[in-house]
Structures are given as structure tokens and as C-alpha cells.
Amino acid sequence: MATDAFEEIAETFDFLDDWEDRYRHVIEMGKAMEPLDESLKIPSTKVEGCASQVWMVPEIEGEGPAARFDFKGDSDAMIVKGLIAILHALYSGLTLGEVAKVDAKAELARLKLEDNLSSQRSNGLQAMLGRIRAFSQQSA
Amino acid sequence: MTFDVGAVRADFPILSREINGKPLTYLDNGASAQKPRVVIDAMTRVYEQEYSNVHRGLHTLSNISTEKYEGVRGIVARFLGAPDEEEIVFTTGTTEAINMVASSWAAPRLEAGDEIVLSIMEHHANIVPWHFLRERQGVVIKWVETDANGDLDPEAVLAACGPRTKLIAVTQLSNVTGTVVDVKAICDGARDKGIPVLVDGSQGAVHMPVNVAEMGCDFYAITGHKLYGPSGSGAVYIRRERMEEMRPFMGGGDMIREVTRDAVTYNDPPMKFEAGTPGIVQTIGMGVALDYLMGLGMENIAAHERGLRDYARAKLDGLNWLQVQGQSAGKAAIFSFTMAGAHAHDLSTVLDKRGIAVRAGSHCAMPLMEHMGVTATARASFGMYNTEAEVDRLVDALEFCHELFG
């Protein structure tokens, strides 16, 4: 079991039969996500290794392994923005200890999206997951 | 001779495959073109029956390989209208060619404050080698911008040339907007000023007949993989006077006559500029590709592509939510576009699901992107095997994108 928010997304994707509907849903999630404040789109928050521009900012409450993890993110590409929304659902509210234990690949595979992502985008996904791990390790 | 696009398509094995369950619609020819069966078969035949190193041995296979490889010089000379095949140097592509000219011709001749004139439309391959000279020896790069339609005025290029301008380096055809440059007018004017001209023919030679003698350029570079030939192949025409002014590029086998502990003497051009074992089979494959193109007739190919351009332009202009970058009247069938609400990467990802291959990004032309005020575009670049039905497929898919992202 992942977070409630992610389980809800997984349930929705179970109902979507074809790639067009899956993409439509990812794009809608991207559109619904709150955009990152322009002042936070700076080199230090930019995630390198993505075909489009991606920014991620950690928001950690408390200290030690019990601290709660959250982040904000944004992209200039709508599909990537949708992916960030999915990652947000997957990780937001976990303790730092729990973040390290998430098998992101296995969870995302449940959405049957991986096949639909071009390799460039998959690379971007790897970079985003790497950034999340780095956030949690720096703070733990 | 008429151009039968159906027959041409049948020559390209890959065009019959499917992508994501849809027929492949290959509109990324600006990045690299697909290969006809004759090229694939010729390369296989060399590897299976005729392969050896060239210029080395006296055995049968070495002779066959050398004969076939050297035969390509004459094919390239015919394809480019070069007066003499000795003025053709083999390269791995245009990038190597321009780096060669920068390093072997320009670097030893240009001093701090000397100028090189470039258009804003240049590919990074025709920018970065000149930046090297700027960084290393204080050479000044002067930029000439395009107008609102994406056209480049030859007079503006010539007007940018001053007493210290030592070279004009310009593309014949923009890989982003499809704008065709009147390079002959630039060469004519430059000759009066005594300024050599390098023409980047990466795109131009693919879409129109080229004759370097009539054009009057000093350097003209082509890339095999965009000409329906193998990757890693290419050639550059270098006017004899310029070739005589050039020092060697890379050092190694083939480019030398004699090497001692204390001295080295060089081979005669063009081999002076071809160090090491070359892309033997790739070059032979490029020769076959150029023969194939000449067999079809570059005029016929150009006419077919003009038809595609007109058809695609009318269709894309009808999409009022699509912003096409560059509206030059005489442009090639290359269309870069953006759509509000969707990033170029979003568009290419969704188009790929429909089996349509386009490129998204800055197209190795960041100064042009900045000039146009965009960070990324999606680009549909047509080739000789594309059809109006494929234009329709693109338009349908873009309409779907508009609905999806709008």
C-alpha cells in the first residue's frame, strides 16, 4: 500500500483503458497542480537530465527520520507536470524513513504509464526520483 | 521523368513498419533521413564480400575497397557540381567539415579583431567552431538577423562585412524554419570584396540541386546521413586555392607521405586532410545514396517537396491555434511550430503515440530560437518519400493535441 492519495490515483488509472485516456488524465493532473512561484525557478531547484525544464523544491517539517517530507514542483511541459503531480501523491506526507523505502518503479508500473513514456521522459523521471532521494538523505 | 512517390517509398524498408500500432509517419528528416534498400544492400555486400582497409595493401580485397571508396569522390563531385574530384575531402559529416575549416584554414590565418560573419539561423555546428576561434584567439563573430518572415537578405550579410571580415559562414537552408538562403548572391558579393564563403549544405543539398561552381562558394559541406546515406559519412568541397592555404587537420595514417623521428611530410590534398582509417563502408554507402538521388533527379525531388510544402502550409495555416515559425515564401518543407498550453515535448510525445516522428527542442540552433522568442518548438521536416496523406495524419494528430492540451 502506498499513500491514500496515490492509491486513489491508481484506482482511477485502473478504469482507463487506452493510452489516450491515461494521457488525458496525466495532463489534467498537471493542469490542476499549483504552479511553482517564479522566484523559485532558479538553477539550484532545476532538475538536470530532463528533456524539458523541471524544478523541485523540498519542504520538510521536523527533524530526524520522523520528519515529514513534502515538495513542490513544476515543469514547462504539461505531461511532465502531470508526472510530478503523481510523484507528489506518492511521496507527500511520508516520513523521511518511509521515503527511502518507496519502490517508485513498482508503484508507477501500476499506472501502466511507463511504456507510454518516451525514453527521454523516463530519463527525466529517473532524475526527479534521484532528486527526491537526495532531498530525503540530506535531511535525515 | 516523373517522380513516383509510391515507388520511392517502396525502396525504404523502414517505411512499412508500425510505431505504437500506427503506420510510421517519419517527419524527422531534418535530423536524419531513412535509408533505401540499395544503400543497405551495398553496405552489406562490402562487409560480406569486399571489405578491407583502403590505401594500404596490394591484395585483391584492398584494391576493391579502395576502388569503391575512391570512386565516391567522383560521385560527390558530380552531385555538387565540383569542377574536380580532388577538391572533395571525405568527412564524418558537416560538423567535422566545419571544424576542419576552422582549425586548418581559419585558425592560422585570423588574428584578434578579425571577423567572421554568421547568420542567426546557423546550426551549432556552424557556430561553435567559430566560438573556439573567438575564445582562443580573439576572433569577432558578427551576426546577421533574419526578418519577420524568417528570410535572410543577402545584402544584409554583405553589408555586415567590413575590412576585417575574413569569412562568411552561412547555411543554405535553415534546419528550423526551412528558409532557403540565396547563397549565390552572397558568394557573388563576397567575391567582389575578396571574402571567402563557407556554405553549410547539411539541409540544402538534400532538398535542391546544388552546383558549387555556379554558386561560387569556397567551402560546401554535406552530411551523408541526411542524404539518405549512412551516419558517419560526409564530404566537403574545398576550392583548390583554399585547400592550398590549409594546414593539416588531424594527424595520423593516410595523411602523411613520410615520417621520421625529426620530421613529417604530408600527403597531397585531399588526403592531407583525411587522417586514419576512414569510414570506408559508410562512405561507399553515401556514394550509393547520392547515385540514387541523382537517378531520381534532384529537380524532381525538389518539385515533389514543393508540392508537399504548399499542401502542408495551407493545412497548418488553417490551424489558428498553431504558431508556425518562419513564413518565408520559398522555404523548404520544414515546419517548426508551437501551441499554447503544450510544450514541444508534450506535442512530440503525443504525436509519437500516433506513429508520427517529429523533433522537439531547440534544434541545435539556440541563437535562432532566442531571436524568434521561443525556447522550444516541435518540428515536422519532410523528405522525398513523404506524402500528402502524411500531412493529413499530422494535422489530425495536432488537432487531437489541441483538444488534449487546450
Side-chain angles (χ1 to χ4, degrees):
Chain A
M1 279 292 281
T3 60
D4 289 348
F6 186 82
E7 289 302 330
E8 205 175 299
I9 291 171
E11 209 169 294
T12 306
F13 273 89
D14 266 345
F15 285 107
L16 303 174
D17 295 326
D18 60 17
W19 73 267
E20 292 193 3
D21 287 339
R22 286 175 199 284
Y23 266 58
R24 202 181 298 275
H25 193 60
V26 172
I27 290 161
E28 276 165 13
M29 290 178 70
K31 282 181 187 166
M33 198 171 69
E34 198 185 323
L36 195 64
D37 194 277
E38 287 299 320
S39 66
L40 290 172
K41 294 179 179 177
I42 52 178
S44 62
T45 63
K46 198 167 170 184
V47 182
E48 298 298 338
C50 304
S52 49
Q53 298 195 86
V54 174
W55 299 268
M56 294 174 85
V57 183
E59 291 184 330
I60 293 161
E61 266 185 44
E63 281 178 15
R68 292 278 163 189
F69 177 74
D70 201 352
F71 72 93
K72 279 184 175 165
D74 205 344
S75 171
D76 55 357
M78 203 49 81
I79 294 172
V80 173
K81 210 170 163 182
L83 284 177
I84 296 170
I86 291 169
L87 291 179
H88 188 261
L90 188 59
Y91 286 100
S92 175
L94 296 181
T95 66
L96 293 181
E98 288 166 336
V99 165
K101 289 182 195 147
V102 172
D103 185 349
K105 279 209 160 161
E107 297 294 348
L108 291 172
R110 293 169 60 198
L111 308 185
K112 302 190 189 85
L113 270 173
E114 185 75 22
D115 293 348
N116 284 340
L117 299 175
S118 73
S119 56
Q120 273 193 345
R121 274 190 206 282
S122 295
N123 289 339
L125 186 61
Q126 285 310 312
M128 289 189 274
L129 290 172
R131 188 60 70 98
I132 288 171
R133 274 190 293 274
F135 288 154
S136 65
Q137 282 159 9
Q138 279 159 19
S139 306
Chain B
M1 195 186 117
T2 54
F3 185 85
D4 179 354
V5 68
V8 170
R9 289 185 71 79
D11 289 339
F12 288 77
I14 203 169
L15 296 182
S16 56
R17 73 159 286 177
E18 293 190 341
I19 299 289
N20 292 320
K22 303 284 195 312
L24 166 63
T25 301
Y26 190 76
L27 303 180
D28 197 18
N29 298 285
S32 200
Q34 300 298 344
K35 319 306 171 198
R37 170 71 71 194
V38 283
V39 169
I40 299 164
D41 285 352
M43 294 176 75
T44 305
R45 190 167 56 243
V46 175
Y47 276 129
E48 286 184 350
Q49 298 290 333
E50 302 164 343
Y51 181 78
S52 172
N53 210 329
V54 291
H55 306 142
R56 300 289 199 281
L58 293 172
H59 56 78
T60 302
L61 290 179
S62 181
N63 285 335
I64 296 174
S65 287
T66 302
E67 206 164 295
K68 281 202 160 185
Y69 174 80
E70 280 300 327
V72 178
R73 243 183 258 283
I75 297 172
V76 174
R78 258 193 297 133
F79 182 73
L80 294 180
D84 185 347
E85 69 175 58
E86 300 283 303
E87 294 175 302
I88 302 298
V89 176
F90 291 138
T91 65
T92 55
T94 296
T95 298
E96 188 188 6
I98 298 176
N99 276 278
M100 179 189 294
V101 175
S103 164
S104 299
W105 183 82
R109 309 173 66 78
L110 271 63
E111 294 169 0
D114 283 345
E115 299 161 356
I116 294 175
V117 170
L118 304 180
S119 92
I120 199 74
M121 291 190 291
E122 300 313 311
H123 186 282
H124 293 165
N126 196 22
I127 297 175
V128 182
W130 312 119
H131 268 310
F132 285 171
L133 299 193
R134 181 191 57 75
E135 285 181 342
R136 295 168 188 173
Q137 52 199 82
V139 166
V140 176
I141 299 175
K142 291 182 85 172
W143 297 95
V144 183
E145 294 186 347
T146 48
D147 67 16
N149 274 339
D151 279 314
L152 183 71
D153 180 1
E155 287 305 321
V157 174
L158 295 169
C161 297
R164 297 207 63 180
T165 300
K166 295 293 192 290
L167 180 73
I168 297 168
V170 67
T171 185
Q172 189 178 20
L173 201 167
S174 164
N175 68 313
V176 178
T177 59
T179 295
V180 176
V181 177
D182 185 351
V183 285
K184 180 167 167 31
I186 292 173
C187 291
D188 287 346
R191 197 176 315 110
D192 294 340
K193 295 169 182 277
I195 302 169
V197 180
L198 177 146
V199 177
D200 175 352
S202 296
Q203 303 287 339
V206 182
H207 302 291
M208 64 182 109
V210 170
N211 187 301
V212 293
E214 282 172 19
M215 190 189 296
C217 60
D218 295 81
F219 308 94
Y220 190 96
I222 58 171
T223 289
H225 72 88
K226 294 189 202 289
L227 287 158
Y228 308 95
S231 58
S233 66
V236 54
Y237 157 78
I238 305 177
R239 180 188 291 278
R240 188 177 293 279
E241 297 97 290
R242 297 291 90 72
M243 217 179 238
E244 283 164 3
E245 293 166 348
M246 285 167 67
R247 67 183 182 189
F249 179 41
M250 293 195 287
D254 251 21
M255 54 77 73
I256 46 85
R257 182 163 294 139
E258 196 174 28
V259 181
T260 67
R261 295 187 194 204
D262 303 317
V264 54
T265 52
Y266 304 116
N267 211 331
D268 291 330
M271 284 180 64
K272 181 180 173 181
F273 307 106
E274 297 172 355
T277 294
I280 299 165
V281 183
Q282 293 93 320
T283 302
I284 292 170
M286 175 175 71
V288 174
L290 297 183
D291 268 338
Y292 177 80
L293 289 172
M294 288 188 279
L296 292 170
M298 289 307 295
E299 279 293 358
N300 297 320
I301 291 168
H304 170 70
E305 292 183 4
R306 273 196 298 275
L308 277 178
R309 173 200 64 193
D310 293 343
Y311 186 79
R313 172 139 55 189
K315 290 271 180 174
L316 294 174
D317 282 352
L319 309 176
N320 58 16
W321 34 263
L322 196 77
Q323 290 78 46
V324 177
Q325 302 288 335
Q327 293 289 358
S328 174
K331 68 183 264 171
I334 296 177
F335 297 88
S336 272
F337 46 82
T338 56
M339 186 190 293
H343 190 278
H345 293 135
D346 289 324
L347 297 178
S348 75
T349 302
V350 173
L351 292 179
D352 179 61
K353 297 300 295 176
R354 295 280 186 105
I356 302 170
V358 298
R359 171 129 180 228
S362 61
H363 315 292
C364 298
M366 286 183 175
L368 176 60
M369 304 300 276
E370 193 205 4
H371 176 62
M372 298 191 304
V374 292
T375 52
T377 69
R379 179 190 68 184
S381 52
F382 292 80
M384 62 176 173
Y385 39 56
N386 290 122
T387 62
E388 291 183 0
E390 291 180 306
V391 175
D392 292 341
R393 251 180 253 160
L394 171 69
V395 170
D396 277 352
L398 287 173
E399 278 170 342
F400 174 64
C401 287
H402 178 56
E403 183 244 320
L404 202 56
F405 295 101

